[in-house]
Each structure stands twice: as structure tokens, then as C-alpha cells.
């Protein structure tokens, strides 16, 4: 994979770029008993873009000999779009980024990784109430060249490894499912010595069998850091991805900078430069340097996430948030590590402020569409008269974005980040997407129970 | 393919080479302006080898990849997947490919999106729209050491039509997906615009139990749960709620569900599945009675049934080859006692028509639980659609809900699971479901 093999093919007219990538993925999957799958994927391919007409033309390919054909096709596609768009805000960089993990997972044998996963499987299945388990070790390494006809020449390595578990407990006909993740960084160290966390999650999964159900309705809730991260990702993060705003003037007006969205003590940041999280990186897949962006400051909308195209459209600075799952996909605006920054309340103060509500823990997936969002949690506790009481189960939440942000009443005084990210958008699942949060209290949240 | 198979057979007892050449093109138009136009030409290759009683698997995008055999061996030595016998049975012909679709150029697709935009714009000039067309052509070939060497071509044209609300968010939507070029009728455009108009009246519900109609598209969210129950792997693991229930009346007698890989020009029609099993038409629930699980070759052997042609190299969130073949739907078809769609709506005193949901991937899918945000739903009162339901959820379990099928509609829509299409269903009326309102 050499730069000269691709650089010559860049069309000179308009804007053009190429991202060529070597992609290596190792997956080790386990059942409730054993490791039943080891999968070692190697793929190479490229993705080219041309902006000569009224919009980008994109073309992906796997045979390096197709690079010239790909540019021809992308040029035709761009010219099909009437007009002549240009990029007003483009950064140029020449850099080679190499990963240097404390303990490189690529230097560790498949057997060692398998043995570690098996150790955790055995620990989980040691409890007879756990009846099913899906477990996985994942390791993804990419070596990417990003070139454009404006002078950018980036070569960047990216590495992420982690473990994830979905365990199911059962009693009678009732089942409960929880999730546990470790790692989400470039170092294998982060996966070692997690026995205590595993045991605690197993206990929680079994305890949920004796939890109570709740009636659907509106509740005052406290979200723990994991759920808070999912909330801000789904409820606000996607809307801050500015590719939504291109050609959509009405939405751009809704998202006008300076608009008051939440209380004064509420701050939201996206920071890919924060090291050691799933969404940490140096350059995005357009070759723009990643930047920390304050999305909401003191409750007001102060920033958004950009690609080159959306930054040019909005006449704002590019933030380095255009990324793709792999070479088969075109870069789109994605969150890096989004989080709700710490406030001033202690968790105790937050609990004491609620007479009848819920404390919710553990994210279990979510989705957003326009102004509404939904997400599920692994479980929770009732809060009665300022005290945590019974454990509750089978809970999902829904809400209207702008109303819910206004209903945030307290923000906790510490931030924790989730060890696993992952986000789906436009048919691309990106595992390098991080989230975190301070615990938050939201009043009057819609809960779907039984 | 033979060269790679020969290389594999130097270190293994049996082998299988799978090759998929994919070409795609997509064009989208938002508010009358073309967005990015995308194309793709890719090759995907996977190798499976058997040695002793073990199986190994590796993925590449080149038949010349020198590391693929070695990687399959590492996998074989480290995993406990048992070797499954590679098939030799030749499949019969299916209609999975249309030359008319393959011939469509990117320029043709551009003309198509503009024409659809113009048609909608003539009907409702004040309604902004979002339209996209995605074309896929695949050439799939599979060669194994049992003498199987077959290939087939596949085409698909998927069209998505949507409206945009006054605040700039997505409003009503309709999806179409077929192996051939299909005409979108004025009636379908009128329906989309009617739903958009209803969105201007927002209605808040209380927490209540109501009759619910799931549109064909949204039935996909529920069918994901049906699939979790009849997935051979879940049955063998003991986590399926319908384990050991073949022959039992599980759902309403009004409901039949089948998986038809041979359907003419279906969204997932194939000549053979990704293990080489010929495509089949499997009745899963016949008038509510459980008839068959969906199984790959290994699961079929363990469960004592024939493989159903559902071993597919994809995952829930990716159509790229990332894993060994797993059990997925081909074309799930929902059928039963039909009633005209309009009559079905007219017969509801107070209920909801749900045409869009979020959260299909959350909750305990294999157990049949669902808790879905109604991203697009309409209140029906005295047989009339009154307005769009705001901020409500529908929740329950399909093993309860599917006992209460009142009627099944006539007009088929392509079902959406999460990212992908999974077959076809008309709208289905259930007598009661739990709605969480304000």
C-alpha cells in the first residue's frame, strides 16, 4: 500500500480525494459453554470522491487496478448533479500516525485471547441462573491512506479491541438480559483482571429476576453515566451531526447557534482527541484533524459536528467528524466521544430530590428519528421519598428531544465513560463511537413498562 | 475459484470457496436537490475448510489472497465449530435477476428520482420531499469439494419516498423493493401525501389498550422476534420460546408465515443459500401452527429436519461477509384471511395505525419482547384517520400479540427489520396492544 500507487490517479479539476485502507478484523465468539467461532477478516479497498459538479460523486472499489475507473465514475456522478459546488473550508495535512498501545493486542496469540474470553465465560456460567450468554472479543486494525488533490497526504493507523457480553438469566418463564463491555481502546491491558466486574454484572442479572415491573407512564428519572451517555448520543448527538442540515433550511433554523436548549448547568462536548475511548482518533476520514467541540454550553447551542462539506455549507470551521465504517462506505458526520460534562450535584442530592421516580442503569440500545428518540435500559430502582427502594425491570424510554432537554433539572458532579460504543447511521455501524455522562436527573420522562 | 480450493485442499479434508461480486449505485434527492451519488464495485471472498471434525473460516476480497488459507487454519485450530458436510445437490432455477435493472445507469436513476419528485410536486407543491433509489447487482458463485459449482445473478431496485415536516424532520414515508423495475402508482403517492397531511394534526394518547394495525413495513420489527424464536441456533441453545413446540397452535389461526427464498424477484431471492443449500419455500407457521424452524445444515442435522436454505453470510447490522453463515430470513411472507386495507381501518372504532417505529433492535428479541417508539402512527376513530400520534410507545410480547390477529390486509409492502428489508407483509390488525401515551 503505497501513496504513489494512488496519488497519480487524483483528478486535478475540482476537489478529489481517495481513502485506501487495509482492514484487519479478528472476532472470537463464544456461546454459554465454549468458543465456537474464530474469524479473521482481511480486506483492502478504496473509496474515491470527486466534487466537480453540484455535489460529490463517490465510488468504492476492492481491486486496486480499478482506481482510475473509480475516479471516472465519481466524476460522472458529480457532474450529474447540476451546479458547481466548491469546498470553502478545507484543511491540509501531511502526517503519519502510528498506534503505540501499552500492550498491543496484535502481538498476543489467538490462544491467549481465547483463554481470557473462556475464563470470563466460565465465571459467568458458574451461576446456574444464567441460561444463555453471547460473548465476543473484537479487534479491528486499519491502516489508511488519505490523499486529496489539495495537498493532503495522511497515513493513519487505528486500533481498537474489546470484549462484550450479553447474558440472560431465567427463572420459570421470566428471562432478563444485561450487557457488559470492557476495553474499547487500543490496549489489551484494559481487558485483564475484570473478574470483579463480571461477578457484579452476573449478580445484577440474576437480581433482576426478582425485580418488579412498573406501569408505563411519566416518571422523574435519574440516568446513570452509561444511560446518560446513550441519552445524549440518541437525543441530541445525532441532531448535532451537520450533514442533516445541508439543503434543509428549516432544520438549520431549528438548530441555530445560540438557541437555548437546556438549563444553565448543562454542558455537552464531543471530543475525539480525548485518548483511551472508543471514539478517539487523530484525523477523520477526510484528513481533517479531529477537534474538541462544545456542542451545548451553559444550556445554549454553541457548536456542531462537521465534515468538510457541511462546514463549507454552514460557513463554519471543519471539526474532523467525517468518518466511515470502512473503505466500502463514504465518510459521513459521526460523533467521536460525546459526553454530558459534570455539574455540581452529588448523586445523593439527586436521589433525595425525588419523591416518586426511578434510578436507571445500563444502556441497552436506542434510536432516534427527528425530534423523537427512544432507548432501552438494563434495569433500575424505584426512588421513593428520596430513597432508593425496589429493583425494577423491563424499561424503555421515549421522549421529544427539545422538551426532554428542557426537563433536565440536575447534573451530577462526576463523568464516567462507557467502555463500548457503536452507532448505526446510513447503513454504517461504527464501533469507534464513544459516549459518557455525568448522572442526570430528568423530570417527567416517558417510560414504557409492562 | 478452483485454484483457491486446490490450495485449501492441501491442508484440509474438504473445502468451500464463496465469491460475491457486487455493484451498487444510489442516488438521492432531498427537497428537490440531488445529494451525493454513490457507486461501488467490490468482490467478497470467503473460504471454509473442514479437517477432522473441525471447521475453519476466513474472509478476503481477493481469490489470490495468500493469507486466506492460513487464516482459515488458525480459525479451525482455535474454534470448536463442528465440520458440516458440504452439499452436492444442484438447485433449480429461480427468478432473482432482471437485466432491465442491471442496464439502469446512474444517469437513469437520476432521471427516475427527478420524475418521482416532479410527480409528488405536482400533487403537493408545498410538501418538501426526500427520495432515494438504490440499485444492487450481485453475481454469486460457490464451489466446494463435494462437486457443487453453481452461480446465480441477483438484482434489486429499492426506492424510498418520504416527506419532510415544517420543522425539517422526516414526515411520512413509503418503501419499495423488488428484483425488477416496478412502477409506483399514483395511489401510493396519494397515500404518502395523505399521511403527511395527517401529521399536521398531532394527538396525544393516554396509557391505554387499543386495537392496533401494524403496516406491512413495520411488521418487520415484529418479525425479527418471530425469527428469533424459529432460529435453529436459538432452538438448539434452548433459548427459543417455541423449542419443542412443532405442531402446536402458537399464533392465531388467521396467520400464516412462510420464508420463500424462491419468490420471483423478491428482495432476498437466491438460487441457493450461502452454504449451497437450494432456496426453499418453508412454511414456518401454518394458520398459527408451528411447522418448521429455519436452519442451516449443521442445525438441520442436530434437529432432524431438512436444511431450509437460510444460511446467510451477513449479520444483523451488516451485509458484508463478517462471520460464518448464520440463519437469516430470505423473503418472509405474511398471509392469511385477507380484508381490504380500507375496510380494515373502517372497522376500527378507536385504535392506531402504526407506520413507523424505533427501537426494533432493543429488548429481548429472542423472547419476543418489544417496546417500540411509534415514530409514525395515526389515531383511528370511528373508522377514520384523525391525526398523528405524538410521543407514544407500543409494547408487549409477540407470543401474546400474535394470538390476537383480527385481520390481514391485501396490499403488500416490503418489511424493514432495522437496516435491511426482510420480505413482504400487508397491514395486520391486532385486537389489542398496550400503548404508553403521555
Amino acid at each position: 500500500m503505497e501513496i504513489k500507487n494512488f496519488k497519480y490517479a487524483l483528478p486535478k479539476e475540482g476537489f478529489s480525494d481517495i481513502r485506501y485502507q487495509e482492514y484487519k478484523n479478528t472476532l472470537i465468539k463464544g456461546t454459554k459453554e465454549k468458543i465456537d467461532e474464530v474469524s479473521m477478516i482481511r480486506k483492502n479497498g478504496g473509496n474515491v470522491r470527486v466534487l466537480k459538479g453540484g455535489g460529490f460523486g463517490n465510488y468504492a472499489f476492492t481491486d486496486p487496478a480499478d482506481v482510475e475507473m473509480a475516479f471516472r465514475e465519481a466524476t460522472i456522478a458529480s457532474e450529474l448533479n447540476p451546479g458547481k459546488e466548491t469546498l470553502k473550508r478545507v484543511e491540509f495535512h501531511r502526517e503519519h500516525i502510528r498506534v503505540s498501545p501499552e500492550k498491543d493486542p496484535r502481538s498476543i496469540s489467538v490462544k491467549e485471547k481465547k483463554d481470557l474470553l473462556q475464563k470470563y465465560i466460565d465465571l459467568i456460567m458458574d451461576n446456574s441462573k444464567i441460561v444463555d450468554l453471547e460473548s465476543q472479543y473484537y479487534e479491528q486494525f486499519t491502516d489508511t491512506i488519505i490523499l486529496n488533490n489539495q495537498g493532503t497526504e495522511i497515513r493513519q493507523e487505528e486500533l481498537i479491541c474489546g470484549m462484550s457480553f450479553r447474558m440472560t438469566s431465567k427463572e420459570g418463564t421470566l428471562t432478563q438480559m444485561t450487557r457488559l463491555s470492557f476495553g474499547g481502546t487500543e490496549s489489551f491491558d484494559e481487558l485483564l483482571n475484570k473478574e470483579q466486574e463480571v461477578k457484579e454484572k452476573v449478580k445484577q442479572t440474576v437480581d433482576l429476576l426478582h425485580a418488579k415491573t412498573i406501569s408505563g407512564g411519566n416518571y422523574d428519572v435519574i440516568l446513570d453515566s452509561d444511560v446518560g451517555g446513550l441519552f445524549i448520543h440518541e437525543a441530541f448527538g445525532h441532531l448535532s451531526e451537520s450533514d442533516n442540515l445541508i439543503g434543509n433550511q428549516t432544520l438549520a433554523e431549528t438548530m441555530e447557534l445560540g438557541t437555548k436548549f437546556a438549563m444553565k448547568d448543562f454542558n455537552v462536548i464531543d471530543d475525539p482527541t480525548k485518548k483511551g475511548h472508543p471514539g478517539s482518533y487523530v484525523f477523520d476520514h477526510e484528513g481533517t484533524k479531529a477537534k474538541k467541540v462544545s456542542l451545548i454550553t451553559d444550556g445554549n447551542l454553541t457548536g456542531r459536528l462537521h465534515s468538510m462539506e457541511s462546514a463549507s455549507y454552514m460557513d463554519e470551521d471543519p471539526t474532523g467528524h467525517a468518518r466511515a465504517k470502512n473503505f466500502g462506505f463514504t465518510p459521513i458526520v459521526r460523533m467521536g466521544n460525546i459526553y454530558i460534562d459534570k455539574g455540581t450535584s452529588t448523586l445523593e442530592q439527586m436521589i433525595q430530590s425525588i419523591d416518586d421516580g426511578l434510578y436507571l442503569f445500563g444502556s441497552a440500545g436506542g434510536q432516534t428519528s427527528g425530534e423523537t428518540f427512544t432507548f432501552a435500559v438494563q434495569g433500575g430502582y424505584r426512588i421513593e421519598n428520596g430513597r432508593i427502594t425496589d429493583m425494577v425491570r423491563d424499561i424503555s424510554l421515549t421522549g421529544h428531544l427539545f422538551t426532554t432537554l428542557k426537563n433536565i433539572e440536575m447534573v451530577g458532579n462526576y463523568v464516567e465513560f462507557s467502555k463500548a460504543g457503536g452507532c448505526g447511521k446510513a447503513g454504517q455501524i461504527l464501533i469507534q463511537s464513544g459516549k459518557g455522562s455525568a448522572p442526570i436527573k430528568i423530570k417527567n420522562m416517558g417510560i414504557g413498562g409492562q | 475459484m478452483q485454484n483457491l480450493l486446490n490450495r485449501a485442499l492441501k491442508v484440509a479434508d474438504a473445502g468451500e470457496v464463496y465469491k460475491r461480486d457486487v455493484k451498487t449505485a444510489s442516488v438521492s434527492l432531498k427537497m428537490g436537490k440531488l445529494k451525493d451519488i454513490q457507486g461501488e464495485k467490490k468482490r467478497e471472498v470467503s473460504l471454509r475448510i473442514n479437517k477432522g471434525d473441525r471447521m475453519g473460516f476466513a474472509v478476503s476480497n481477493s481469490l489470490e489472497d495468500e493469507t486466506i488459507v492460513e487464516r482459515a487454519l488458525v480459525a479451525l485450530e482455535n474454534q470448536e465449530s463442528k465440520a458440516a458436510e458440504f452439499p452436492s445437490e444442484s438447485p433449480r432455477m429461480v427468478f432473482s435477476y432482471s437485466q432491465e435493472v442491471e442496464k439502469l445507469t446512474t444517469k437513469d436513476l437520476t432521471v427516475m428520482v427527478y420524475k418521482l419528485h416532479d410527480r409528488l410536486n405536482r400533487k403537493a407543491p408545498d410538501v418538501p420531499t426526500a427520495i432515494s433509489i438504490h440499485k444492487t447487482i450481485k453475481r454469486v458463485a460457490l464451489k466446494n469439494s463435494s462437486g457443487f459449482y453453481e452461480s446465480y445473478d441477483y438484482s434489486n431496485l429499492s426506492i424510498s419516498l418520504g416527506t419532510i415536516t415544517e420543522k425539517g424532520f422526516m414526515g411520512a414515508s413509503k418503501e419499495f423493493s423488488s428484483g425488477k423495475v416496478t412502477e409506483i402508482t399514483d395511489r401510493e403517492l396519494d397515500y404518502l401525501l395523505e399521511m403527511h397531511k395527517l401529521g399536521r394534526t398531532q394527538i396525544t394518547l393516554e396509557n391505554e389498550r387499543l386495537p392496533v394495525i401494524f403496516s406491512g413495513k413495520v411488521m418487520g420489527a415484529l418479525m425479527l422476534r418471530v425469527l428469533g424464536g424459529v432460529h435453529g441456533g436459538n432452538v438448539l441453545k434452548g433459548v427459543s420460546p417455541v423449542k419443542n413446540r412443532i405442531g402446536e397452535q402458537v399464533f392465531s389461526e388467521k396467520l400464516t408465515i412462510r420464508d420463500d427464498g424462491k419468490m420471483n424477484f423478491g428482495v432476498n431471492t437466491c438460487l441457493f443459500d450461502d452454504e449451497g443449500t437450494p432456496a426453499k419455500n418453508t412454511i414456518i407457521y401454518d394458520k398459527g401452527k408451528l411447522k418448521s424452524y429455519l436452519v442451516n445444515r449443521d442445525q438441520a442435522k442436530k434437529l432432524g429436519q431438512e436444511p431450509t436454505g437460510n444460511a446467510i453470510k451477513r449479520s444483523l447490522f451488516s451485509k458484508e461477509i463478517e462471520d460464518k453463515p448464520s440463519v437469516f430470513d430470505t423473503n418472509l411472507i405474511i398471509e392469511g384471511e385477507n380484508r381490504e386495507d380500507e375496510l380494515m381501518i373502517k372497522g376500527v372504532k378507536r385504535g392506531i395505525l402504526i407506520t413507523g417505529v424505533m427501537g426494533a433492535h432493543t429488548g429481548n428479541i429472542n423472547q419476543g419482547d418489544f417496546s417500540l417508539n411509534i415514530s409514525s402512527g395515526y389515531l383511528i376513530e370511528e373508522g377514520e384517520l384523525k391525526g398523528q400520534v405524538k410521543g407514544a410507545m407500543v409494547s408487549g410480547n409477540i407470543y401474546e400479540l400474535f394470538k390476537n390477529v383480527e385481520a390481514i390486509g391485501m396490499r403488500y409492502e416490503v418489511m424493514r427489520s432495522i437496516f435491511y428489508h426482510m420480505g413482504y407483509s400487508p397491514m395486520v390488525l391486532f385486537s389489542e396492544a398496550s400503548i404508553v401515551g403521555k
Side-chain angles (χ1 to χ4, degrees), chain A residues 13-242:
Chain A
E13 229 180 299
F15 174 87
S16 62
D17 72 359
I18 179 167
R19 177 169 41 94
Y20 194 85
Q21 192 170 59
E22 286 181 0
Y23 173 93
K24 296 180 179 177
N25 194 359
T26 301
L27 292 172
I28 302 174
K29 291 186 180 178
T31 62
K32 61 183 176 184
E33 290 149 0
K34 62 187 183 188
I35 306 298
D36 78 334
E37 188 173 333
V38 175
S39 172
M40 303 177 78
I41 298 168
R42 301 284 182 274
K43 297 179 190 174
N44 305 327
N47 195 300
V48 307
R49 301 188 306 169
V50 172
L51 182 62
K52 200 175 168 194
F56 272 106
N58 306 278
Y59 204 88
F61 60 98
T62 52
D63 184 348
D66 282 335
V67 61
E68 291 176 47
M69 178 276 292
F71 273 120
R72 274 196 307 278
E73 290 291 329
T75 304
I76 291 168
S78 179
E79 288 177 333
L80 277 172
N81 206 328
K84 196 164 180 65
E85 288 291 330
T86 53
L87 296 174
K88 289 177 274 187
R89 307 269 190 144
V90 182
E91 289 181 6
F92 316 112
H93 298 280
R94 284 179 175 233
E95 234 174 293
H96 193 161
I97 306 293
R98 291 184 177 87
V99 290
S100 52
E102 296 252 324
K103 187 165 182 156
D104 193 331
R106 294 169 298 167
S107 66
I108 291 162
S109 70
V110 171
K111 184 175 181 310
E112 198 175 328
K113 293 165 186 165
K114 208 177 82 167
D115 288 348
L116 183 63
L117 187 61
Q118 186 70 55
K119 187 167 84 173
Y120 293 136
I121 291 173
D122 293 343
L123 193 57
I124 293 167
M125 294 312 299
D126 194 38
N127 190 310
S128 61
K129 296 276 187 195
I130 303 292
V131 294
D132 192 30
L133 174 66
E134 290 171 33
S135 53
Q136 175 175 267
Y137 168 81
Y138 65 90
E139 176 187 311
Q140 183 175 299
F141 173 74
T142 53
D143 187 3
T144 308
I145 289 172
I146 303 163
L147 311 172
N148 68 32
N149 66 354
Q150 313 288 304
T152 284
E153 280 189 25
I154 306 276
R155 185 159 184 171
Q156 177 168 262
E157 294 179 347
E158 291 174 75
L159 176 63
I160 184 169
C161 68
M163 282 186 183
S164 60
F165 304 86
R166 280 185 189 213
M167 56 190 91
T168 305
S169 58
K170 187 172 184 182
E171 193 168 273
T173 56
L174 178 68
T175 61
Q176 287 293 295
M177 186 162 49
T178 62
R179 305 174 180 197
L180 177 64
S181 300
F182 316 133
T185 74
E186 58 186 27
S187 182
F188 194 77
D189 274 343
E190 298 288 325
L191 308 180
L192 303 171
N193 307 316
K194 298 293 178 189
E195 288 80 358
Q196 193 54 37
E197 280 182 53
V198 170
K199 283 180 190 168
E200 283 167 13
K201 186 52 91 173
V202 168
K203 182 176 181 313
Q204 188 183 74
T205 314
V206 173
D207 287 349
L208 279 165
L209 292 168
H210 300 115
K212 295 180 174 169
T213 57
I214 58 164
S215 307
N218 286 6
Y219 293 83
D220 291 350
V221 298
I222 295 171
L223 309 184
D224 80 349
S225 293
D226 191 34
V227 180
L230 179 64
F231 161 75
I232 203 64
H233 174 106
E234 295 297 347
F236 174 74
H238 280 297
L239 207 56
S240 72
E241 295 166 341
S242 298

